[in-house]
């Protein structure tokens, strides 16, 4: 199945399939028949998918680099390692670099492609659920800085996103649940049909039912593609809606020093906080309160480290890079499937939410 991200001359296809791993070389070869190719994965994926990559290499003859695995390596140093590799292997402006992995590999390699010779083609092969439904689509690339996450980067749309749900078979359960948070998120911003789909098929997707999961991924990708097409660089406010639950999530991650919590796990809490705050701030219509309550029951709960008092966590929200004009922006639920950005939520209500949802002092 194919979904197009419509961005004029920078439009690109997202291929979504199940168990057709052998078909990648033909697809890439058709798109880039004459190009020199480099493929970058991390050491974990190089080990897990060594035989598959060896098969692909026979057909595509790419240069291969494995970078270290982990968010702590999402740095300028690792970015430099990739750029250095591309230079040494003699890639040119017509070349293509393939990012094979989760959001970390995708973000680093996408950023390397954006800067190498002022920008070469990049193909994303997302192998985590998070990367499939979110990070591989939309062209946000970058690395972390000691002062914060994703502070250095560029918008650089891929030329192709090629995903196969077979990769999820080897994904650890904890990573699956964290990625599922980003799929669940689309229930709040992707329209009534996605809201109902998640409500109805949540249990099946969590149990790994392949048909339900594939449909959940397809719907998520279609929603993200449409949002990116309408607000590529996050200026009109439409793309900002994809940050549902993220103002809270980022504060939780920072309060925990990014240790012992995955981004998606923080988003699970963030979504519950956003719903609670939406009820307090009055963005959720009275008639919809019950449906939200039922959906919230389904949000998976992840174990989380000890958090500071509510007012400290509130303070942590003001260091988010998405903050502007000194004001917090919350994406809050409105009618089922829709959310709104609210800039003037009272501190008292945010503290009440943090105390109620997170059990904080
Ligand atoms: P990740 O890339 O660190 O992958 C998680 C773990 O799973 C890693 O250890 C990885 O080696 C392993 N893994 C990957 N695929 C596997 C597979 N098929 N089988 C077994 N193990 C596998 O984490 P992630 O959750 O994919 O991505 C998180 C990153 O994405 C963060 O850096 C975040 O900032 C970024 N992100 C970017 C965007 C964007 O729009 N660019 C959006 C959301 C998140
Ligand atoms: N992950 C949010 C975005 O791509 O805008």
């Amino acid at each position: 199945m194919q979904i197009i991200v419509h961005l004029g001359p920078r439009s690109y296809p997202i291929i979504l399939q199940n168990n057709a791993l052998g078909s990648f070389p033909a697809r890439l070869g058709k798109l880039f028949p004459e190009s020199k190719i480099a493929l970058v994965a991390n050491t974990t994926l190089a080990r897990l998918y060594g035989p598959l990559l060896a098969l692909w290499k026979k057909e595509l003859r790419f240069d291969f680099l494995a970078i270290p695995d982990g968010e702590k390596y999402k740095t300028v140093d690792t970015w430099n390692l990739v750029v250095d590799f591309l230079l040494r292997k003699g890639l040119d402006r017509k070349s293509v670099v393939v990012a094979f992995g989760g959001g970390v590999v995708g973000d680093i390699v996408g950023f390397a492609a954006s800067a190498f010779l002022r920008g070469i083609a990049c193909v994303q092969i997302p192998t985590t659920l998070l990367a499939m439904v979110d990070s591989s689509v939309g062209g946000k690339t970058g690395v972390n800085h000691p002062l914060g996450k994703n502070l250095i980067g560029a918008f650089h749309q891929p030329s192709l996103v090629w995903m196969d749900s077979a990769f999820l078979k080897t994904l650890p359960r904890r990573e699956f649940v964290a990625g599922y948070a980003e799929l669940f998120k689309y229930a709040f911003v992707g329209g009534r049909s996605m809201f109902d789909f998640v409500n109805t098929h949540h249990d099946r997707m969590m149990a790994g039912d392949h048909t339900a999961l594939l449909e959940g991924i397809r719907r998520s990708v279609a929603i993200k593609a449409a949002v990116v097409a309408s607000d590529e660089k996050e200026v009109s406010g439409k793309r900002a809606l994809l940050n549902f639950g993220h103002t809270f999530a980022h504060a939780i991650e920072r309060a925990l020093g990014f240790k012992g919590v995955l981004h998606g796990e923080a988003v699970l809490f963030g979504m519950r906080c956003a719903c609670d705050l939406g009820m307090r701030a009055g963005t959720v219509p009275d008639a919809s309160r019950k449906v939200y309550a039922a959906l919230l029951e389904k949000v998976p709960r992840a174990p989380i480290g000890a958090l500071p008092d509510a007012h400290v966590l509130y303070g942590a929200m003001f260091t988010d890079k998405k903050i502007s004009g000194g004001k917090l922006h919350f994406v809050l639920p409105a009618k089922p499937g829709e959310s709104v950005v609210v800039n003037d939520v009272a501190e008292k209500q945010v503290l009440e939410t943090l105390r109620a949802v997170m059990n904080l002092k």
Side-chain angles (χ1 to χ4, degrees), residues 148-166:
K149 270 193 71 175
N150 298 326
L151 292 182
I152 307 162
F155 282 99
H156 186 62
Q157 298 294 342
S159 302
L160 165 72
V161 181
W162 188 89
M163 59 180 88
D164 193 313
S165 56

Side-chain angles (χ1 to χ4, degrees), residues 133-135 137-140 155 182 185-186 224 227-228 231-232 234 239-243 246 263 322:
V133 299
D134 193 352
S135 63
V137 176
K140 281 188 183 175
F155 282 99
E182 301 286 4
K185 170 188 81 181
Y186 293 109
K224 176 130 192 202
V227 171
V228 168
D231 182 20
E232 182 186 10
E234 206 167 313
R239 189 161 181 173
L241 293 177
L242 297 179
N243 297 323
H246 283 58
H263 172 67
K322 295 210 190 309

Side-chain angles (χ1 to χ4, degrees), residues 7 10 12 97 106 109-116 118-124 136-142 153-159 232-233:
L7 287 168
R10 284 168 297 106
Y12 55 93
V97 53
V109 175
F111 185 35
S114 81
F116 182 74
R118 297 206 177 88
I120 63 167
C122 177
V123 167
Q124 294 279 348
S136 64
V137 176
K140 281 188 183 175
T141 73
F155 282 99
H156 186 62
Q157 298 294 342
S159 302
E232 182 186 10
K233 301 216 167 146

Side-chain angles (χ1 to χ4, degrees), residues 54-329:
L55 272 179
W56 286 1
K57 196 167 184 217
K58 269 194 192 151
E59 284 186 61
L60 290 171
R61 308 194 170 281
F62 51 73
D63 291 305
F64 177 72
L65 172 70
I67 58 177
D69 182 7
E71 181 77 32
K72 71 173 174 176
Y73 296 107
K74 192 174 151 182
T75 59
V76 171
D77 285 348
T78 312
W79 172 86
N80 195 35
L81 210 67
V82 177
V83 172
D84 197 64
F85 176 77
L86 301 180
L87 282 170
R88 283 178 200 283
K89 292 297 176 186
L91 272 80
D92 60 27
R93 297 186 73 183
K94 294 211 167 97
S95 300
V96 55
V97 53
V98 181
F100 181 89
V104 170
V105 170
D107 280 9
I108 299 171
V109 175
F111 185 35
S114 81
F116 182 74
L117 305 180
R118 297 206 177 88
I120 63 167
C122 177
V123 167
Q124 294 279 348
I125 303 185
T127 60
T128 62
L129 182 54
L130 181 140
M132 289 178 189
V133 299
D134 193 352
S135 63
S136 64
V137 176
K140 281 188 183 175
T141 73
V143 295
N144 302 331
H145 182 275
L147 289 180
K149 270 193 71 175
N150 298 326
L151 292 182
I152 307 162
F155 282 99
H156 186 62
Q157 298 294 342
S159 302
L160 165 72
V161 181
W162 188 89
M163 59 180 88
D164 193 313
S165 56
F167 289 123
L168 300 178
K169 286 183 201 155
T170 54
L171 192 66
R173 179 70 183 171
R174 188 176 172 200
E175 296 291 348
F176 174 85
V177 175
Y180 183 75
E182 301 286 4
L183 186 158
F184 201 96
K185 170 188 81 181
Y186 293 109
F188 299 97
V189 297
R192 182 72 205 219
S193 159
M194 184 60 172
F195 184 93
D196 290 338
F197 175 83
V198 170
N199 225 344
T200 309
H201 297 284
H202 166 82
D203 292 335
R204 285 176 63 199
M205 286 191 282
M206 281 296 280
D209 177 306
H210 218 85
T211 312
L213 198 53
L214 208 60
E215 177 60 10
I217 296 170
R218 187 197 67 77
R219 284 171 178 258
S220 302
V221 167
I223 293 164
K224 176 130 192 202
V227 171
V228 168
S230 69
D231 182 20
E232 182 186 10
K233 301 216 167 146
E234 206 167 313
V235 286
S236 78
K238 283 192 185 153
R239 189 161 181 173
L241 293 177
L242 297 179
N243 297 323
F244 185 87
H246 283 58
T247 306
F248 288 102
H250 291 152
I252 292 167
E253 287 180 281
R254 264 195 303 280
L256 294 172
F258 295 96
K259 292 201 177 80
V261 64
L262 298 176
H263 172 67
E265 292 172 338
V267 172
L268 293 172
F269 284 103
M271 290 191 291
R272 286 174 46 217
C273 290
C275 284
D276 184 276
L277 188 56
M279 310 256 190
R280 289 175 202 278
T283 57
V284 175
D286 285 347
S288 305
R289 282 175 171 252
K290 265 197 182 158
V291 235
Y292 274 112
L295 186 68
L296 285 185
E297 279 300 303
K298 297 184 171 149
V299 177
R301 282 156 210 258
I304 198 167
L307 286 169
D309 290 357
H311 68 273
V312 177
L313 205 53
Y314 181 73
M317 289 180 183
F318 285 88
T319 55
D320 201 298
K321 81 168 186 302
K322 295 210 190 309
I323 197 167
S324 65
K327 283 196 168 174
L328 290 178
H329 309 295

